[in-house]
Amino acid sequence: MRHFQALCFAVILLLLSSCNSDPHTYAEIETEFGTMKVMLYNETPQHRDNFIKLAKEGFYEDLLFHRVIKGFMVQGGDPDSKTATPEQQLGGGGPGYTIPAEIGSPHIKGRLAAARTQNPAKASSGCQFYLVHGTKQTDMQLDLVQKQKGITYNEEQRRLYREIGGAPFLDMEYTVYGEVVEGLEVIDKIVEQPIGSNNRPKQDVKMKVRILN
């Protein structure tokens, strides 16, 4: 009888564990202004897996957020930024490959997206990324973007654009492959830093990236 009860208890624990399991991979992006927890999207597997690979290899260790524009985004991940001189122009470094576009999700504040050069296929940089800052949007503004781009925002997307903001003009142009689920205020702190030439912070904003699961 006791054996049967123990077996039943074990099965219940297994079922509960299965029900509560989160299928997403999470990463931490640490800066001197705080740490952001980011959920990576399974809907963009090539970008997700590439980010995980680079993070586990230590690729992003001490790289900079080298391009910061309030009301727009904070960009980093250029490998040349690790040893960059104060006036060095950044943004052209990479791992030697690009990632095919996996475009779909909107650019709501806190979304993690891949930077890219201008190319017809909208292929992404193999390492550089940005976190959306953006501004709050009105339904009229969103209606205009929908008309221009031929897309449709659902009610939840509209609510988020209205309440926390974003950069909808980037939608359908760049791949969004994750979102900040904790530490959104860190982006607000980074965009308040004094900026020099080429929108680079006058004081280096370094990052450390690690995968949590």
Side-chain angles (χ1 to χ4, degrees), residues 20-31:
N20 293 329
S21 63
D22 189 333
H24 295 97
T25 299
Y26 291 84
E28 277 189 348
I29 302 176
E30 180 184 343
T31 75

Side-chain angles (χ1 to χ4, degrees), residues 13-26 42 213:
L13 287 178
L14 182 62
L15 289 173
L16 288 174
S17 175
S18 177
C19 291
N20 293 329
S21 63
D22 189 333
H24 295 97
T25 299
Y26 291 84
N42 293 327
N213 58 331

Side-chain angles (χ1 to χ4, degrees), residues 38-191:
V38 178
M39 179 179 73
L40 302 177
Y41 292 159
N42 293 327
E43 294 80 8
T44 52
Q46 294 182 83
H47 286 74
R48 175 201 63 201
D49 292 350
N50 181 70
F51 189 83
I52 292 171
K53 172 181 175 293
L54 293 180
K56 287 185 173 180
E57 291 174 350
F59 180 92
Y60 291 114
E61 187 78 8
D62 290 333
L63 298 190
L64 305 181
F65 281 104
H66 65 269
R67 185 174 177 230
V68 173
I69 304 175
K70 187 176 182 179
F72 184 20
M73 55 88 217
V74 298
Q75 180 177 337
D78 182 345
D80 296 338
S81 69
K82 191 165 191 174
T83 57
T85 58
E87 298 302 319
Q88 183 176 336
Q89 184 171 348
L90 297 168
Y97 61 84
T98 58
I99 307 170
E102 296 177 297
I103 293 172
S105 296
H107 282 74
I108 294 162
K109 183 179 180 179
R111 298 297 166 93
L112 168 70
R116 67 172 176 84
T117 59
Q118 294 299 318
N119 67 89
K122 300 179 181 177
S124 302
S125 164
C127 60
Q128 292 194 44
F129 64 87
Y130 59 93
L131 294 161
V132 179
H133 186 236
T135 58
K136 292 182 179 180
Q137 304 292 308
T138 65
D139 281 314
M140 187 176 295
Q141 289 173 309
L142 295 174
D143 289 342
L144 182 59
V145 174
Q146 285 189 150
K147 184 176 180 180
Q148 291 173 337
K149 294 180 175 289
I151 59 180
T152 301
Y153 297 118
N154 61 40
E155 285 306 312
E156 177 63 8
Q157 291 167 343
R158 281 178 170 270
R159 183 187 70 79
L160 291 171
Y161 267 132
R162 288 194 304 265
E163 294 181 5
I164 68 171
F169 63 91
L170 296 175
D171 290 347
M172 305 310 295
E173 300 296 332
Y174 298 81
T175 297
V176 173
Y177 62 99
E179 64 181 83
V180 175
V181 295
E182 293 178 16
L184 195 61
E185 71 281 357
V186 176
I187 301 175
D188 296 327
K189 294 177 182 178
I190 294 175
V191 299

Side-chain angles (χ1 to χ4, degrees), residues 187-203:
I187 301 175
D188 296 327
K189 294 177 182 178
I190 294 175
V191 299
E192 293 297 335
Q193 301 312 301
I195 301 300
S197 60
N198 299 307
N199 298 302
R200 179 176 168 182
K202 291 183 177 180
Q203 296 295 323

